Amino acid sequence: MQLKRRTLLSGLAASAAVPFMSAAHAKQAGADTKWDKETDVLVIGYGGAGACAAIEAHDKGSKVLIIEKMAQPGGNTAISSGGFMVPQDGPTALKYLTATYDLANSEKDDELLNTFCKEIMGVKDWMTGLKEGTELWVYGHAGFQNLPGWEVIDKYRVRGKKRSGDCLFDLYRYAVEEKRNIPVMLETPAVQLIQKDGQVVGAVAKNNGKNINIKANKAVILTTGGYEFDPESLRTYAQGENYHALGNPGNTGDGLRMAQSMGARLWHMTAYSCPLGTELPGCKAALQVTMMAPSFIWVDKNGKRFADEFSPDGHTRCYVVNRFDPISHSYPSIPCWLIFDDKAFKRGPVVGGSSGYSINREGYKWSRDNSQELANGVITKAESLEELAKKIGVSAENLVAAVQKWNTDIKAGKDTQFNRPIQNPHKKVVHIEQKAGAAVSAPLDETGPYYAIKLYPTLLNTQGGPKKNVNGQVMDVNNNPIPRLYAAGELGSMWGNIYQGACNNAECIVFGRLAGRAAAAEKPWS
């Protein structure tokens, strides 16, 4: 089913368990304001950043309350791959991460980056200290091995029996709820910040159908994630159309609007972590599509191949398809099509990946032989390329020509159109099926059947939001801290157009802790 952008985005908003609420202006506190609850530090959003902020604020002697809009906590952290980057050497990691900004011409805050590379070096000890017996293991390395310093980048996970994101967030939950007894209110979305004399002094939240005023004697910390399920924000900031999402449907831009209500400066609004993915019947979230076999290509809505399908890092693949054609006034590659042959189909699951809301929360399991996806329409099958073109609505002439050109090139040993590598050039393991030297390009069968999967830009998360300083304080449009307002995590992330995998969870740890520490150090306003 092909959805127009407006229809699709409306559907995304409707999928959130709690609808987003606009807060154009912060509520003014007065002498007659009735406070229903009181705490020192109020954390809004219970994912990885919120948990880390709450732990640190508590450990610095403050009374902490966490409120979370969803019925189940965890945000994007719990449904992520659970990885967090900890390098072998901080200065070398700084060199590498600086190169990612420079390569992509992304806005960089040197003070934030320097702080991150210093603070991240102590994260392994902090993580294992959250619960006795916690074990960490290295599962991956640098995503951009053409950049200097890549060799020191290691990605860690928490060892456990659950999916990786749940292992990570279960550790946080133990530290927050069992070890520290920090109170958590679920199904309690923040509606509006409360300010007094330009200071943020609390928030309005909805609990059991009623608005309640929560007083924060020291500070409010926004850890609400991004805007990937907010149609309005996507229309305003996302380059392209027909965006889908992999993550938590509760990420509807709440923190973005609340920060704006206090005059926050925004940055990185067009930066995303966004693979390509496909719709799943009956699921709110989409599924990332990472092809496991080498005999495949991508074609656009005209049936033409348009890119090197292997080399772009998975987190940045939306930038491959969101190019606007000023002649046709359209996005020719949204949606696009993954085209593959019977060898790929019979090899096993054509899609790799083990994280995302559809898998971790909605329970979708891709079939081992792809038969379920063939039956439910996720995969389209045809006996010839001409028939497949008709079924998916592209030019048969162009599709046949694209496959023929691909086959001729790869048999001759070079992709003359986009220079896709024949074998994986990476020095370290990128994926279990894609070790160095493994074939990543192969001709498609000369005869059918052939198959197709419709692909969309599929947000893992958005990076944009309020700009913060090294203490997590939200900055105003003049780059001054907004009193008593903090933020951490993917809401105003420090990362730009190039994203090194496992750095969002790492950022949640580092700047969640820094925000919690600074918020706890505030003097009470009353």
Side-chain angles (χ1 to χ4, degrees):
M1 178 175 63
Q2 185 171 354
L3 300 178
K4 297 296 184 182
R5 184 179 189 219
R6 188 174 300 277
T7 303
L8 174 63
L9 296 181
S10 297
L12 288 179
S15 71
V18 181
F20 74 84
M21 299 180 182
S22 178
H25 301 284
K27 180 178 178 178
Q28 183 70 39
D32 59 346
T33 299
K34 177 182 178 295
W35 298 103
D36 301 286
K37 287 189 174 292
E38 184 174 346
T39 189
D40 291 331
V41 176
L42 175 62
V43 177
I44 301 177
Y46 190 16
C52 292
I55 291 167
E56 196 74 15
H58 173 276
D59 290 356
K60 295 301 180 183
S62 288
K63 182 181 178 182
V64 181
L65 172 65
I66 303 174
I67 62 173
E68 163 60 43
K69 73 185 291 186
M70 304 293 281
Q72 186 173 3
N76 275 353
T77 298
I79 56 174
S80 72
S81 66
F84 51 96
M85 190 276 284
V86 183
Q88 301 163 26
D89 177 73
T92 307
L94 176 62
K95 182 179 180 181
Y96 169 78
L97 292 170
T98 296
T100 67
Y101 283 94
D102 293 343
L103 182 63
N105 195 30
S106 295
E107 183 180 5
K108 172 170 57 61
D109 184 314
D110 287 316
E111 193 174 7
L112 284 179
L113 189 55
N114 283 324
T115 299
F116 175 83
C117 290
K118 291 177 183 177
E119 295 286 330
I120 196 65
M121 298 308 297
V123 160
K124 285 192 291 184
D125 289 341
W126 186 78
M127 294 291 287
T128 55
L130 292 178
K131 183 178 182 181
E132 185 177 353
T134 297
E135 295 182 11
L136 309 177
W137 62 285
V138 175
Y139 73 95
H141 306 281
F144 305 95
Q145 295 179 14
N146 58 318
L147 299 180
W150 70 267
E151 64 276 1
V152 305
I153 303 301
D154 290 331
K155 300 189 294 186
Y156 285 82
R157 285 179 177 146
V158 175
R159 191 176 297 280
K161 296 181 179 179
K162 292 184 178 181
R163 295 186 185 275
S164 300
D166 281 320
C167 288
L168 176 59
F169 192 71
D170 281 355
L171 177 62
Y172 292 150
R173 290 198 76 173
Y174 170 83
V176 168
E177 299 173 41
E178 296 185 44
K179 191 172 182 178
R180 290 166 176 79
N181 295 310
I182 296 172
V184 177
M185 297 176 67
L186 300 177
E187 297 183 281
T188 306
V191 177
Q192 195 175 21
L193 292 177
I194 302 175
Q195 63 108 353
K196 181 178 181 181
D197 301 325
Q199 302 182 93
V200 175
V201 297
V204 181
K206 187 171 286 291
N207 180 256
N208 292 323
K210 296 181 179 179
N211 282 354
I212 59 172
N213 295 329
I214 303 175
K215 183 180 182 181
N217 290 317
K218 293 185 175 180
V220 172
I221 306 177
L222 299 174
T223 56
T224 56
Y227 61 84
E228 55 265 33
F229 281 89
D230 176 28
E232 181 179 347
S233 294
L234 287 170
R235 278 194 296 268
T236 302
Y237 303 114
Q239 298 166 306
E241 62 183 358
N242 278 331
Y243 274 81
H244 289 52
L246 300 169
N248 174 27
N251 286 6
T252 56
D254 304 0
L256 174 62
R257 288 183 292 277
M258 284 186 280
Q260 285 180 292
S261 75
M262 289 298 299
R265 171 191 167 189
L266 304 183
W267 79 328
H268 289 170
M269 295 307 296
T270 58
Y272 338 95
S273 176
C274 187
L276 298 181
T278 194
E279 295 175 327
L280 296 172
C283 291
K284 297 175 183 177
L287 179 73
Q288 181 176 345
V289 174
T290 302
M291 190 62 181
M292 304 297 292
S295 52
F296 76 96
I297 59 173
W298 297 338
V299 299
D300 63 17
K301 290 187 288 189
N302 298 312
K304 295 181 179 181
R305 188 164 168 253
F306 60 91
D308 169 0
E309 300 89 347
F310 172 79
S311 298
D313 178 76
H315 300 93
T316 61
R317 287 185 176 172
C318 70
Y319 299 115
V320 180
V321 301
N322 70 354
R323 301 165 183 165
F324 184 74
D325 180 357
I327 306 301
S328 65
H329 299 284
S330 67
Y331 295 93
S333 302
I334 304 178
C336 60
W337 294 92
L338 169 65
I339 307 296
F340 55 100
D341 62 9
D342 206 43
K343 293 193 304 291
F345 183 85
K346 290 179 177 177
R347 180 175 176 174
V350 297
V351 170
S354 59
S355 63
Y357 193 86
S358 61
I359 296 175
N360 294 44
R361 293 293 174 266
E362 298 182 291
Y364 191 90
K365 295 181 179 180
W366 193 281
S367 59
R368 295 181 63 86
D369 61 359
N370 305 303
S371 60
Q372 173 181 269
E373 288 66 39
L374 192 60
N376 65 21
V378 172
I379 297 176
T380 300
K381 176 182 178 181
E383 293 303 317
S384 68
L385 289 172
E386 290 84 357
E387 181 188 358
L388 185 65
K390 184 177 181 180
K391 285 187 173 183
I392 65 176
V394 305
S395 163
E397 180 181 359
N398 288 345
L399 180 59
V400 170
V403 171
Q404 288 178 345
K405 176 62 174 173
W406 168 256
N407 284 352
T408 299
D409 277 357
I410 301 308
K411 288 175 183 178
K414 181 177 177 58
D415 173 15
T416 61
Q417 290 184 292
F418 303 105
N419 203 32
R420 174 170 145 188
I422 305 299
Q423 295 179 325
N424 183 12
H426 294 293
K427 300 175 183 178
K428 291 192 176 185
V429 175
V430 176
H431 192 280
I432 191 170
E433 293 290 329
Q434 296 176 348
K435 296 182 180 181
V440 296
S441 299
L444 275 66
D445 291 335
E446 297 293 340
T447 59
Y450 299 100
Y451 305 84
I453 298 175
K454 185 182 285 189
L455 301 179
Y456 301 89
T458 309
L459 289 160
L460 183 58
N461 62 270
T462 56
Q463 306 286 34
K467 178 75 168 60
K468 300 160 286 192
N469 65 15
V470 294
N471 293 316
Q473 293 173 290
V474 174
M475 311 304 285
D476 67 17
V477 293
N478 295 313
N479 223 33
N480 298 312
I482 298 171
R484 303 185 188 275
L485 182 62
Y486 293 77
E490 294 169 3
L491 177 64
S493 170
M494 64 186 287
W495 307 118
N497 295 329
I498 283 185
Y499 171 70
Q500 164 59 48
C503 275
N504 273 134
N505 280 332
E507 180 183 19
C508 287
I509 299 168
V510 167
F511 288 103
R513 293 180 65 199
L514 289 171
R517 193 179 307 163
E522 294 269 14
K523 294 181 179 180
W525 61 271
S526 63

